[in-house]
Amino acid sequence: MSIKEIAIFCDFKHDESYTPSKISIRAGTHFHDLQEVKEVSLEEPSGWLSVPLSKKDLSHSENESEEYSDESLRAFMLQVAVLANHENGRDSHIRQIKVFGPRSDPTGLGLEEGCSGFTTTEFSMFSTIR
């Protein structure tokens, strides 16, 4: 599965000490080979926090010359671990997590974004689903 971004919703005003202050995102093929992809520090988060992920986040070597054809992270298992809470709280409240994959061509025709391939208004109205 390809993963491009994770969005996390937290609200410090409502949750106070239950709000995470440090989050670790780990990815792998199964539980025993999870590798840390990103570690995010949060300062009184309110609303959606977007965390972009890529294959470069997994590489620990600075001198890698490998070119990536697809920048999205590939993993079968994803773990979001709360490492610390505000005010040293013990429990955590993460209100919602969304995992986003790479965008693809909705028509499957390989056309550029914004171009439906239809020339008349009547056809282009029904080229995609809202």
Side-chain angles (χ1 to χ4, degrees), residues 5 27 46 84 93:
E5 174 183 357
S46 181
H93 285 187

Side-chain angles (χ1 to χ4, degrees), residues 10-107:
C10 296
D11 193 356
F12 181 77
K13 291 179 183 176
H14 285 100
D15 298 330
E16 295 179 355
S17 67
Y18 293 100
T19 307
S21 63
K22 188 181 271 189
I23 293 176
S24 171
I25 298 172
R26 303 167 185 157
T29 56
H30 54 83
F31 183 75
H32 298 290
D33 76 341
L34 291 176
Q35 294 179 345
E36 186 171 272
V37 179
K38 278 217 175 152
E39 189 173 296
V40 182
S41 294
L42 310 172
E43 293 294 325
E44 298 185 6
S46 181
W48 286 103
L49 168 74
S50 177
V51 182
L53 302 174
S54 68
K55 283 184 182 177
K56 292 177 187 174
D57 294 329
L58 268 180
S59 66
H60 299 292
S61 173
E62 298 283 334
N63 300 329
E64 275 192 28
S65 61
E66 183 179 349
E67 292 293 326
Y68 297 113
S69 60
D70 182 17
E71 290 296 319
S72 59
L73 177 69
R74 302 215 19 109
F76 286 107
M77 184 173 212
L78 192 67
Q79 182 181 60
V80 177
V82 177
L83 302 178
N85 288 326
H86 283 84
E87 302 171 14
N88 295 324
R90 292 185 179 217
D91 295 331
S92 294
H93 285 187
I94 295 179
R95 297 183 172 262
Q96 194 169 8
I97 296 176
K98 293 181 181 180
V99 179
F100 295 102
R103 293 182 182 259
S104 61
D105 180 21
T107 61

